[in-house]
Amino acid sequence: MRYRPYVPYLFIAPMLLGLVLFRLGPLFVSFAASFTDWNVISAPSWVGLRNYREMLASEAFWEVLGNTALYALFYVPGVMLLGLTLAVLVNQRLLGSTFFRGFFFLPYITSTVAVALVWKWIFATRFGLLNNLLYSLGVERPPSWLGDPSYALIAVAVVAVWQHAGFQMLLFLAGLQNIDEGLKEAARIDGASESQIFRRITLPLLSPVTFFVLIISLFASAQTFEVTYALTGGGPQRASTTLAFFIYQNAFVHFRMGYASALAYVLMLLVGGLTLLNFALRRRWVSYG
């Protein structure tokens, strides 16, 4: 049978078509839309850099950008630390460790709406589980976790960490199980304690996985939407509105597609810049051998 050079391209054509239609196409269309005033119903009109100038002059944008940075400061270290802790626990050769791997991973595959309903009950001001616990401990006026601007963003970050830590746990667990146990045994023979082994052997050999988890956690912190939408709707007083949720509000609530596209590209530049910075710094702390 004669070989036809075009045949392999026929097999990958559906994938390439999907890439162009659903990835690259929207990317270029949204970039063009960021220079327009478009409300979806009428035809877009060219406004140049007006959306970007409006964004930089808007107090709401800077407030939302600050919320996004604060959310990332809570979420990224929290989800990484909890994920690593769970991975170390379930990596022990103990009875029931396999069950707990699935148990800790369960929140990640649970519907965000269901998770939000449970946590809304926990955070409820009058009849919530958390505030009832605080009442029993003698706290007379426990906070309104989802209704107070001082606590709403923290509450959203706590729920997101709780839901996503199981996935980070699996990544760290895979890294832990790839570490040569012979190195640890040699250290024990030389008199090293378990804490020294963890600090001097486990963490350095786990650094490539830690770097990967750091990158995907940064992406997740910048793209948070479902938890915010289900718990607080961005309130109160825009206190829990992050940049991704702000993009949704401008695009699908206020129908300002051009302004929302400009916001999306600013978010992309911020996340891309942080990612490049982490790649530039990784040689200082990531060890591949």
Side-chain angles (χ1 to χ4, degrees), residues 34 51 246-248 250-252 256-265:
S34 70
N51 289 326
F246 195 53
I247 292 169
Y248 157 78
N250 280 279
F252 301 108
R256 301 189 63 196
M257 288 293 179
Y259 188 63
S261 297
L263 289 168
Y265 268 86

Side-chain angles (χ1 to χ4, degrees), residues 38-171:
W38 183 31
N39 64 2
V40 182
I41 299 173
S42 60
S45 59
W46 185 265
V47 296
L49 296 174
R50 191 180 76 183
N51 289 326
Y52 292 94
R53 289 196 297 266
E54 178 184 348
M55 182 195 315
L56 295 177
S58 169
E59 292 183 6
F61 168 73
W62 292 108
E63 180 184 356
V64 167
L65 189 62
N67 290 344
T68 306
L70 185 60
Y71 177 87
L73 287 175
F74 282 112
Y75 175 82
V76 176
V79 77
M80 292 182 66
L81 183 60
L82 182 57
L84 178 59
T85 303
L86 294 177
V88 171
L89 291 175
V90 300
N91 193 44
Q92 309 299 317
R93 293 184 176 89
L94 300 174
L95 183 65
S97 59
T98 303
F99 165 77
F100 282 104
R101 292 176 191 178
F103 181 76
F104 292 140
F105 183 70
L106 188 61
Y108 182 74
I109 59 174
T110 303
S111 166
T112 303
V113 174
V115 169
L117 286 174
V118 172
W119 278 94
K120 270 190 172 182
W121 171 64
I122 294 174
F123 284 135
T125 304
R126 293 186 61 189
F127 305 107
L129 183 65
L130 180 57
N131 278 1
N132 274 308
L133 176 62
L134 294 176
Y135 279 129
S136 66
L137 295 176
V139 179
E140 295 182 358
R141 294 183 178 180
S144 175
W145 298 101
L146 300 178
D148 189 331
S150 301
Y151 297 101
L153 187 66
I154 300 174
V156 172
V158 167
V159 176
V161 168
W162 178 85
Q163 185 181 17
H164 299 159
F167 178 67
Q168 270 50 351
M169 175 199 72
L170 288 185
L171 298 176

Side-chain angles (χ1 to χ4, degrees), residues 2 16 31 48 55 76 134 154 160 167 178 184 188 194 204 213 221 232 241-242 266 287:
R2 192 175 64 177
L16 291 176
F31 181 69
M55 182 195 315
V76 176
L134 294 176
I154 300 174
F167 178 67
N178 279 326
K184 297 180 183 179
R188 291 188 185 98
E194 291 299 322
V213 172
S221 69
T232 64
T241 300
T242 56
V266 169
S287 173

